[in-house]
Amino acid sequence: MDKIFIRDLVARGIIGVNDSEREKSQEILINITLLVDLRAAGESDCLDDSVSYRTIAKRALAHAESAARFTVEALAADLAKLCLEDPRVQRVIVRVEKPGAVRFSRSVGVEIERTREDFA
């Protein structure tokens, strides 16, 4: 399966369960891999035959910055569902990280893999 990827998309939003995490926006690092059949786009050289990574990135960023989720798990699920709204996306891998959330670590987070059937 072919892949379209978005690496290290940085959002600023509310995420976390502690009062201090709910008061001001913090950095959220997002990585998305879309599993898509890209043969038609490769032949036609036409964006209409592919999935626009720019559109997906803009939607993911807007959601992450406005959702105010308590857990990275919930935000990752939201973003997976958002990506799968495009019928050409067959599977998605979403990684959501909170840089600096745990002392002595660069970041912590989750990575999930979903299909449309997971949200049926």
Side-chain angles (χ1 to χ4, degrees):
M1 184 58 50
D2 305 319
K3 297 176 183 176
I4 295 173
F5 59 89
I6 300 166
R7 294 283 176 253
D8 299 332
L9 182 65
V10 179
R12 294 212 40 94
I14 302 294
I15 190 161
V17 296
N18 299 325
D19 289 342
S20 61
E21 295 175 304
R22 310 290 306 159
E23 291 172 1
K24 67 177 190 170
S25 295
Q26 58 188 293
E27 190 172 290
I28 304 166
L29 187 62
I30 301 166
N31 287 278
I32 298 171
T33 302
L34 308 168
L35 285 85
V36 188
D37 184 347
L38 296 175
R39 287 177 286 195
E43 290 293 321
S44 70
D45 197 21
C46 179
L47 181 59
D48 291 337
D49 291 330
S50 188
V51 176
S52 170
Y53 51 78
R54 181 179 181 164
T55 299
I56 296 287
K58 287 173 74 173
R59 292 183 68 209
L61 189 62
H63 184 79
E65 292 185 340
S66 65
R69 298 297 254 162
F70 287 100
T71 65
V72 290
E73 293 87 347
L75 180 57
D78 291 349
L79 297 176
K81 189 173 185 179
L82 179 146
C83 292
L84 289 163
E85 288 174 359
D86 187 312
R88 295 167 293 196
V89 176
Q90 297 175 20
R91 180 178 296 274
V92 64
I93 300 167
V94 177
R95 182 182 186 114
V96 176
E97 299 176 61
K98 289 174 54 173
V102 173
R103 191 172 172 201
F104 303 119
S105 73
R106 183 172 296 153
S107 70
V108 296
V110 300
E111 182 174 276
I112 66 170
E113 187 170 341
R114 299 288 184 269
T115 65
R116 198 167 286 99
E117 291 76 30
D118 292 317
F119 296 105

